[in-house]
Amino acid sequence: EVQRITKLVAEGKLSPEDAADLIEAFSSGEGAAAAAGAAATETAEEPMVEEAEERPKDPLKSIVDSFEKLLKEGKDSVNWDEVGKQAKQAAKQAAEKIKTGVEEISKGKVNIGFFGAQATREVTLPLTLAEGQTLRIDNPCGSVKVVGGFDVGSVKADAKFRGTFEDAKAKADAYTIIIEESDHQVMVKQPDVVGLCVDLEVQMPGTGWVEIRSESGDVEVIDTKAGARISTRSGDVKLRGLQGATEVSCESGDVVIQDSTAPSIGIENKSGDITIRRVQGNINARTAAGDVVVESCSGKVVSVESVSGNVHVDVEEPVSGSLNIRTVNGHANVSVPDGSDCRVSLSTLRGGVTCTLALEDEASTDQRITGRLGAGVGTLDVSAVTGSITLEMHDATVKA
């Protein structure tokens, strides 16, 4: 009944005051019914003072447990005046606690869900970052968003706690963000609390290197103008406006990097798509299950591997270094600009090969084409096991 009442409050169909009155009436009725049943059996002599004190956290349950104890012990007499007083007092305590709870629900601070109660708390703390210091964030559960370029830095946490009603609320009241500083870094992390999930939003003072570790939750880094290292087990990763070496390790989730410049970009993804747009720098992207898209990019070395998924690579600068693409189960489509200078090798075991470029020294079969563009200084090597391969001219008028 209490769950039904609190649900009505959460849905806005019942006010907290009316809910408290209903709960109090329901509790008093339960106490009277239990007392009548005990009187009919003429059991127990001891009042319930000690039993009620033993279970102060759940007064409603203490009423039922106390009467059951009296019945089982089979005492000869009962002080029913004391029994009634204790029952009424316990019911009143329960009503007060539930009233407080439904008021929290009505204000959106505590929610009753399928797995118990959920309490929330927002905390914002200032963040300072000296030149040369790395911003490190360790957030096991919840999303992380870092935006650089602010005059004044801050960390905002939207924390959620699950558990019993009282436990979740107590954890929420005691929560705060942990910020630790050393000579080389500023660490932002969470307290070791069961049932905690925190969404972090960081306004980074100035720009700088960022390292983020997350077990579950999306990660977003924008306009930090430096490199980044991201490690997440479950969640999407979005990076934009970076200028430095970038490493991403993701077990499950899509990875998107765009509008960035880096000497090197390395992406390891076990399950999820990889998208790289308008990026300058060497690229090494690998995914076990997912598609890979590289658009409007340039780099001396571009290496893409996908075990199960299609690969689309479009480079803006002529190929004179190394462009290697591998896919086991998927199609590969590659477009390069005019003026490329490289040896070309396109091969598939089960599929077709198409090349719309004019190659020097071309040799072709249904499943393999070789030749060169220009003097053949660099290498362009595309291979597939099951899937077709297409090599064509980059269209400079098409924007990603």
Coordinates of all heavy atoms in Angstrom, one line a residue, residues 24-101:
E24 N -0.9 7.1 7.5 CA -1.1 7.0 9.0 C -2.3 6.2 9.3 O -2.4 5.4 10.2 CB -1.2 8.4 9.5 CG -1.3 8.4 11.1 CD -1.2 9.8 11.6 OE1 -1.1 10.8 10.8 OE2 -1.2 10.0 12.8
A25 N -3.4 6.5 8.5 CA -4.7 5.7 8.7 C -4.5 4.2 8.5 O -4.9 3.4 9.2 CB -5.7 6.3 7.8
F26 N -3.7 3.9 7.4 CA -3.4 2.5 7.1 C -2.6 1.9 8.2 O -2.9 0.7 8.6 CB -2.7 2.4 5.7 CG -2.1 1.1 5.4 CD1 -2.9 0.1 5.0 CD2 -0.8 0.8 5.6 CE1 -2.4 -1.2 4.7 CE2 -0.3 -0.4 5.3 CZ -1.1 -1.4 4.9
S27 N -1.6 2.6 8.7 CA -0.8 2.0 9.7 C -1.5 1.8 11.0 O -1.4 0.7 11.7 CB 0.4 2.9 10.0 OG 1.1 3.2 8.8
S28 N -2.4 2.7 11.4 CA -3.2 2.6 12.6 C -4.2 1.4 12.5 O -4.4 0.7 13.4 CB -4.0 3.9 12.9 OG -3.1 5.0 13.1
G29 N -4.7 1.3 11.3 CA -5.6 0.1 11.1 C -4.9 -1.2 11.2 O -5.4 -2.1 11.8
E30 N -3.7 -1.3 10.7 CA -2.9 -2.5 10.8 C -2.6 -2.8 12.3 O -2.7 -4.0 12.8 CB -1.6 -2.4 10.0 CG -1.8 -2.4 8.5 CD -2.1 -3.8 8.0 OE1 -2.8 -4.6 8.7 OE2 -1.6 -4.1 6.9
G31 N -2.3 -1.8 13.1 CA -2.0 -2.0 14.5 C -3.2 -2.4 15.2 O -3.1 -3.3 16.1
A32 N -4.4 -1.8 15.0 CA -5.6 -2.3 15.7 C -6.0 -3.7 15.3 O -6.4 -4.5 16.2 CB -6.8 -1.3 15.3
A33 N -5.9 -4.1 14.0 CA -6.2 -5.4 13.6 C -5.3 -6.4 14.3 O -5.7 -7.5 14.8 CB -6.1 -5.6 12.1
A34 N -4.0 -6.1 14.4 CA -3.1 -7.0 15.0 C -3.4 -7.1 16.5 O -3.3 -8.2 17.1 CB -1.6 -6.5 14.8
A35 N -3.7 -6.0 17.2 CA -4.0 -6.0 18.6 C -5.3 -6.9 18.9 O -5.3 -7.7 19.8 CB -4.3 -4.6 19.1
A36 N -6.3 -6.7 18.0 CA -7.5 -7.5 18.2 C -7.3 -9.0 18.1 O -7.8 -9.8 18.8 CB -8.6 -7.1 17.2
G37 N -6.4 -9.4 17.1 CA -6.1 -10.8 16.9 C -5.3 -11.3 18.1 O -5.6 -12.5 18.5
A38 N -4.4 -10.5 18.7 CA -3.7 -11.0 19.8 C -4.6 -11.1 21.0 O -4.5 -12.0 21.9 CB -2.6 -10.0 20.1
A39 N -5.6 -10.2 21.2 CA -6.5 -10.3 22.4 C -7.3 -11.5 22.3 O -7.6 -12.1 23.4 CB -7.4 -9.0 22.4
A40 N -7.7 -11.9 21.2 CA -8.6 -13.1 21.0 C -7.9 -14.4 21.5 O -8.5 -15.3 21.9 CB -9.1 -13.3 19.6
T41 N -6.6 -14.4 21.3 CA -5.8 -15.6 21.7 C -5.3 -15.5 23.1 O -4.7 -16.5 23.6 CB -4.6 -15.8 20.8 OG1 -3.8 -14.6 20.8 CG2 -5.1 -16.0 19.4
E42 N -5.5 -14.3 23.8 CA -5.1 -14.2 25.2 C -3.6 -14.6 25.4 O -3.3 -15.5 26.2 CB -6.0 -15.0 26.2 CG -7.4 -14.5 26.2 CD -8.2 -15.3 27.2 OE1 -7.7 -16.2 27.8 OE2 -9.4 -14.9 27.3
T43 N -2.7 -13.9 24.7 CA -1.3 -14.2 24.8 C -0.5 -13.0 25.3 O -0.9 -11.9 25.2 CB -0.8 -14.6 23.5 OG1 -0.9 -13.6 22.6 CG2 -1.5 -15.9 22.9
A44 N 0.7 -13.3 25.8 CA 1.8 -12.4 26.1 C 1.5 -11.4 27.2 O 0.3 -11.0 27.4 CB 2.1 -11.6 24.8
E45 N 2.5 -11.2 28.1 CA 2.3 -10.3 29.2 C 3.2 -9.1 29.1 O 3.0 -8.1 29.7 CB 2.7 -11.0 30.5 CG 4.1 -11.5 30.5 CD 4.5 -12.2 31.8 OE1 3.6 -12.3 32.7 OE2 5.6 -12.6 32.0
E46 N 4.3 -9.1 28.3 CA 5.2 -8.1 28.2 C 4.8 -7.0 27.2 O 4.4 -7.3 26.1 CB 6.6 -8.6 27.8 CG 7.2 -9.6 28.8 CD 7.5 -9.0 30.2 OE1 7.8 -7.8 30.2 OE2 7.4 -9.7 31.2
P47 N 5.0 -5.7 27.6 CA 4.8 -4.6 26.6 C 5.8 -4.7 25.5 O 6.9 -5.3 25.6 CB 4.9 -3.4 27.4 CG 5.7 -3.7 28.6 CD 5.4 -5.2 28.9
M48 N 5.6 -3.9 24.4 CA 6.5 -4.0 23.3 C 7.6 -3.0 23.3 O 8.2 -2.7 22.3 CB 5.7 -3.8 22.0 CG 4.7 -4.9 21.8 SD 4.0 -4.7 20.1 CE 3.4 -3.1 20.2
V49 N 7.9 -2.4 24.4 CA 8.9 -1.3 24.5 C 10.2 -1.8 23.9 O 10.8 -1.2 23.1 CB 9.0 -0.8 25.9 CG1 10.1 0.3 26.0 CG2 7.7 -0.3 26.4
E50 N 10.7 -2.9 24.4 CA 12.1 -3.4 24.0 C 12.1 -3.7 22.6 O 13.0 -3.4 21.8 CB 12.5 -4.6 24.9 CG 12.7 -4.2 26.3 CD 13.2 -5.4 27.1 OE1 13.3 -6.5 26.5 OE2 13.4 -5.2 28.3
E51 N 11.0 -4.4 22.1 CA 11.0 -4.8 20.7 C 10.9 -3.6 19.8 O 11.6 -3.6 18.7 CB 9.7 -5.7 20.5 CG 9.6 -6.2 19.0 CD 10.7 -7.2 18.7 OE1 11.4 -7.7 19.6 OE2 10.9 -7.4 17.5
A52 N 10.2 -2.6 20.2 CA 10.1 -1.4 19.3 C 11.4 -0.7 19.3 O 11.8 -0.2 18.2 CB 9.0 -0.5 19.9
E53 N 12.2 -0.7 20.4 CA 13.5 -0.1 20.4 C 14.5 -0.8 19.6 O 15.4 -0.3 19.1 CB 13.9 0.1 21.9 CG 13.1 1.1 22.7 CD 13.5 1.2 24.1 OE1 14.4 0.3 24.5 OE2 13.1 2.0 24.8
E54 N 14.3 -2.2 19.5 CA 15.2 -2.9 18.7 C 15.1 -2.7 17.2 O 16.1 -2.9 16.5 CB 15.0 -4.4 19.0 CG 15.4 -4.8 20.4 CD 15.1 -6.3 20.7 OE1 14.6 -6.9 19.7 OE2 15.3 -6.8 21.8
R55 N 14.0 -2.2 16.7 CA 13.8 -2.0 15.3 C 13.3 -0.6 15.0 O 12.3 -0.4 14.5 CB 12.7 -3.0 14.8 CG 13.1 -4.5 14.9 CD 12.0 -5.3 14.5 NE 12.3 -6.7 14.6 CZ 12.8 -7.5 13.7 NH1 13.1 -7.0 12.5 NH2 13.1 -8.8 13.9
P56 N 14.1 0.4 15.4 CA 13.7 1.8 15.3 C 13.6 2.2 13.8 O 12.9 3.2 13.5 CB 14.7 2.6 16.0 CG 16.0 1.7 15.9 CD 15.5 0.3 16.0
K57 N 14.3 1.5 12.9 CA 14.4 2.0 11.5 C 13.1 1.6 10.7 O 12.9 2.1 9.6 CB 15.6 1.4 10.8 CG 16.9 2.0 11.4 CD 18.1 1.5 10.7 CE 19.4 2.1 11.3 NZ 20.6 1.6 10.5
D58 N 12.4 0.6 11.2 CA 11.2 0.2 10.5 C 10.0 0.0 11.5 O 9.7 -1.1 11.8 CB 11.5 -1.2 9.8 CG 10.5 -1.5 8.7 OD1 9.5 -0.8 8.7 OD2 10.8 -2.4 7.9
P59 N 9.4 1.1 12.0 CA 8.4 0.9 13.0 C 7.2 0.2 12.5 O 6.5 -0.5 13.3 CB 8.0 2.4 13.3 CG 8.5 3.2 12.2 CD 9.7 2.5 11.6
L60 N 6.8 0.3 11.2 CA 5.6 -0.5 10.8 C 5.9 -2.0 10.9 O 5.0 -2.8 11.4 CB 5.4 -0.2 9.3 CG 4.6 1.1 9.0 CD1 4.5 1.4 7.5 CD2 3.2 1.1 9.7
K61 N 7.1 -2.4 10.5 CA 7.4 -3.9 10.6 C 7.5 -4.3 12.1 O 7.2 -5.4 12.4 CB 8.7 -4.2 9.9 CG 9.0 -5.6 9.7 CD 10.2 -5.8 8.9 CE 10.5 -7.3 8.6 NZ 10.7 -8.1 9.8
S62 N 7.9 -3.4 13.0 CA 8.1 -3.7 14.4 C 6.7 -4.1 15.0 O 6.7 -4.9 15.9 CB 8.7 -2.6 15.1 OG 7.9 -1.5 15.3
I63 N 5.6 -3.4 14.6 CA 4.3 -3.8 15.1 C 4.0 -5.2 14.8 O 3.6 -6.0 15.7 CB 3.3 -2.8 14.5 CG1 3.6 -1.4 14.8 CG2 1.9 -3.2 14.9 CD1 2.7 -0.4 14.1
V64 N 4.1 -5.6 13.5 CA 3.8 -7.0 13.1 C 4.7 -8.0 13.8 O 4.2 -9.0 14.4 CB 3.9 -7.1 11.6 CG1 3.6 -8.5 11.2 CG2 3.0 -6.1 10.9
D65 N 6.0 -7.7 13.8 CA 6.9 -8.6 14.5 C 6.6 -8.8 16.0 O 6.7 -9.9 16.5 CB 8.4 -8.1 14.3 CG 8.8 -8.2 12.8 OD1 8.1 -8.9 12.1 OD2 9.8 -7.6 12.5
S66 N 6.2 -7.7 16.6 CA 6.0 -7.8 18.1 C 4.8 -8.6 18.4 O 4.8 -9.5 19.3 CB 5.8 -6.4 18.6 OG 6.9 -5.6 18.4
F67 N 3.7 -8.5 17.6 CA 2.5 -9.3 17.9 C 2.8 -10.8 17.6 O 2.3 -11.6 18.3 CB 1.3 -8.8 17.1 CG 0.8 -7.5 17.6 CD1 0.7 -6.3 16.8 CD2 0.3 -7.4 18.9 CE1 0.2 -5.2 17.3 CE2 -0.2 -6.2 19.4 CZ -0.3 -5.1 18.6
E68 N 3.5 -11.0 16.5 CA 3.9 -12.4 16.2 C 4.7 -13.0 17.3 O 4.5 -14.2 17.7 CB 4.7 -12.5 14.9 CG 3.8 -12.2 13.7 CD 4.6 -12.3 12.4 OE1 5.8 -12.3 12.5 OE2 4.0 -12.2 11.3
K69 N 5.6 -12.2 17.9 CA 6.4 -12.7 19.0 C 5.5 -13.1 20.2 O 5.7 -14.1 20.9 CB 7.4 -11.7 19.4 CG 8.4 -12.2 20.5 CD 9.4 -11.1 20.8 CE 10.3 -11.6 21.9 NZ 11.4 -10.6 22.3
L70 N 4.6 -12.2 20.5 CA 3.6 -12.4 21.6 C 2.8 -13.7 21.4 O 2.6 -14.5 22.3 CB 2.7 -11.3 21.8 CG 3.3 -9.9 22.2 CD1 2.3 -8.8 22.3 CD2 4.0 -10.1 23.6
L71 N 2.4 -13.9 20.2 CA 1.6 -15.1 19.9 C 2.4 -16.4 20.1 O 2.0 -17.4 20.6 CB 1.0 -15.0 18.5 CG -0.1 -14.0 18.3 CD1 -0.3 -13.8 16.8 CD2 -1.3 -14.4 19.0
K72 N 3.7 -16.4 19.6 CA 4.5 -17.5 19.7 C 5.0 -17.9 21.1 O 5.1 -19.0 21.5 CB 5.8 -17.3 18.8 CG 5.5 -17.3 17.3 CD 6.7 -17.0 16.5 CE 6.4 -17.0 15.0 NZ 7.6 -16.7 14.2
E73 N 5.2 -16.8 21.9 CA 5.6 -17.1 23.3 C 4.5 -17.6 24.2 O 4.8 -18.3 25.2 CB 6.2 -15.8 23.9 CG 7.6 -15.4 23.2 CD 8.1 -14.1 23.8 OE1 7.4 -13.5 24.6 OE2 9.3 -13.8 23.5
G74 N 3.3 -17.3 23.9 CA 2.1 -17.8 24.6 C 2.1 -17.3 26.0 O 1.8 -18.2 27.0
K75 N 2.2 -16.1 26.3 CA 2.2 -15.6 27.7 C 0.7 -15.6 28.2 O -0.2 -15.6 27.4 CB 2.8 -14.1 27.7 CG 4.2 -14.0 27.3 CD 5.1 -14.8 28.2 CE 6.6 -14.7 27.8 NZ 7.5 -15.4 28.6
D76 N 0.6 -15.5 29.5 CA -0.7 -15.7 30.1 C -1.5 -14.4 30.1 O -2.7 -14.4 30.1 CB -0.6 -16.2 31.6 CG 0.0 -17.6 31.6 OD1 -0.2 -18.3 30.7 OD2 0.7 -17.9 32.7
S77 N -0.8 -13.2 30.2 CA -1.6 -12.0 30.3 C -0.8 -10.9 29.5 O 0.3 -11.0 29.2 CB -1.7 -11.5 31.7 OG -0.4 -11.3 32.3
V78 N -1.6 -9.9 29.1 CA -1.1 -8.8 28.2 C -1.6 -7.5 28.8 O -2.7 -7.3 29.2 CB -1.6 -9.0 26.8 CG1 -1.1 -7.8 25.9 CG2 -1.1 -10.3 26.2
N79 N -0.6 -6.5 28.8 CA -1.0 -5.2 29.2 C -1.4 -4.5 27.9 O -0.6 -3.8 27.2 CB 0.2 -4.5 29.8 CG -0.1 -3.1 30.3 OD1 -1.1 -2.5 30.0 ND2 0.8 -2.6 31.2
W80 N -2.7 -4.6 27.6 CA -3.2 -4.1 26.3 C -3.2 -2.6 26.2 O -3.1 -2.1 25.1 CB -4.6 -4.7 26.0 CG -4.5 -6.2 25.8 CD1 -5.0 -7.1 26.6 CD2 -3.9 -6.8 24.7 NE1 -4.8 -8.4 26.1 CE2 -4.1 -8.2 24.9 CE3 -3.2 -6.4 23.6 CZ2 -3.6 -9.2 24.0 CZ3 -2.7 -7.3 22.7 CH2 -2.9 -8.7 22.9
D81 N -3.2 -1.9 27.3 CA -3.1 -0.4 27.2 C -1.8 0.0 26.7 O -1.6 0.9 25.9 CB -3.4 0.2 28.6 CG -4.8 0.1 29.1 OD1 -5.7 -0.1 28.2 OD2 -5.1 0.1 30.3
E82 N -0.7 -0.7 27.3 CA 0.6 -0.4 26.8 C 0.8 -0.9 25.4 O 1.5 -0.2 24.6 CB 1.7 -1.1 27.7 CG 3.1 -0.7 27.5 CD 3.4 0.7 27.8 OE1 2.6 1.3 28.7 OE2 4.3 1.3 27.2
V83 N 0.2 -2.0 25.0 CA 0.3 -2.5 23.6 C -0.2 -1.5 22.7 O 0.3 -1.1 21.6 CB -0.4 -3.9 23.5 CG1 -0.5 -4.2 22.0 CG2 0.4 -4.9 24.2
G84 N -1.4 -1.0 23.0 CA -2.1 0.0 22.2 C -1.3 1.3 22.0 O -1.1 1.9 21.0
K85 N -0.7 1.7 23.2 CA 0.2 2.9 23.1 C 1.4 2.8 22.2 O 1.7 3.7 21.4 CB 0.6 3.3 24.6 CG 1.5 4.6 24.6 CD 2.1 4.7 26.0 CE 1.1 4.9 27.1 NZ 1.8 5.2 28.4
Q86 N 2.0 1.6 22.4 CA 3.2 1.4 21.5 C 2.9 1.3 20.1 O 3.6 1.8 19.2 CB 3.9 0.1 22.0 CG 4.5 0.1 23.4 CD 5.6 1.2 23.5 OE1 6.3 1.4 22.6 NE2 5.7 1.8 24.6
A87 N 1.8 0.6 19.8 CA 1.3 0.5 18.4 C 1.0 1.9 17.8 O 1.4 2.2 16.6 CB 0.1 -0.4 18.3
K88 N 0.4 2.7 18.5 CA 0.0 4.0 18.0 C 1.3 4.9 17.8 O 1.4 5.6 16.8 CB -0.9 4.7 19.0 CG -1.4 6.1 18.5 CD -2.4 6.7 19.5 CE -2.9 8.0 19.0 NZ -4.0 8.6 19.9
Q89 N 2.2 4.8 18.8 CA 3.5 5.5 18.7 C 4.3 5.0 17.5 O 4.8 5.9 16.7 CB 4.3 5.3 19.9 CG 5.6 6.1 19.9 CD 6.4 6.0 21.2 OE1 5.9 5.2 22.1 NE2 7.5 6.6 21.3
A90 N 4.4 3.7 17.2 CA 5.1 3.2 16.1 C 4.5 3.6 14.8 O 5.2 4.0 13.8 CB 5.2 1.7 16.2
A91 N 3.2 3.6 14.7 CA 2.5 4.0 13.5 C 2.7 5.5 13.2 O 2.9 5.9 12.1 CB 1.0 3.7 13.6
K92 N 2.8 6.3 14.3 CA 3.0 7.7 14.1 C 4.4 8.0 13.6 O 4.6 8.8 12.7 CB 2.8 8.5 15.4 CG 2.9 10.0 15.3 CD 2.7 10.6 16.7 CE 2.8 12.2 16.5 NZ 2.6 12.8 17.8
Q93 N 5.4 7.3 14.1 CA 6.8 7.4 13.6 C 6.9 7.0 12.2 O 7.5 7.7 11.4 CB 7.7 6.5 14.5 CG 7.8 7.0 15.9 CD 8.7 6.1 16.8 OE1 9.1 5.0 16.3 NE2 8.9 6.4 18.0
A94 N 6.2 5.9 11.8 CA 6.2 5.5 10.4 C 5.6 6.5 9.5 O 6.1 6.8 8.4 CB 5.5 4.1 10.3
A95 N 4.5 7.1 9.9 CA 3.8 8.1 9.1 C 4.7 9.3 8.9 O 4.8 9.9 7.8 CB 2.5 8.5 9.8
E96 N 5.4 9.7 10.0 CA 6.3 10.9 9.8 C 7.4 10.6 8.9 O 7.8 11.5 8.0 CB 6.9 11.3 11.2 CG 5.9 11.9 12.1 CD 5.3 13.2 11.6 OE1 6.1 13.9 10.9 OE2 4.1 13.5 11.8
K97 N 8.0 9.4 8.9 CA 9.1 9.1 8.0 C 8.6 9.0 6.6 O 9.3 9.5 5.6 CB 9.7 7.7 8.4 CG 10.5 7.8 9.7 CD 11.3 6.6 10.0 CE 12.2 6.7 11.3 NZ 13.0 5.5 11.5
I98 N 7.5 8.4 6.4 CA 6.9 8.3 5.0 C 6.6 9.6 4.5 O 6.8 9.9 3.3 CB 5.7 7.3 5.0 CG1 6.2 5.9 5.4 CG2 5.1 7.2 3.6 CD1 7.2 5.3 4.5
K99 N 6.0 10.5 5.4 CA 5.6 11.8 4.9 C 6.9 12.6 4.4 O 6.8 13.3 3.4 CB 5.0 12.6 6.1 CG 4.5 14.0 5.6 CD 3.8 14.7 6.8 CE 3.4 16.1 6.4 NZ 2.7 16.8 7.5
T100 N 8.0 12.5 5.2 CA 9.2 13.1 4.7 C 9.7 12.5 3.4 O 10.1 13.3 2.5 CB 10.3 12.9 5.8 OG1 9.9 13.4 7.0 CG2 11.6 13.5 5.3
G101 N 9.5 11.2 3.2 CA 9.9 10.6 2.0 C 9.1 11.0 0.8 O 9.7 11.3 -0.3

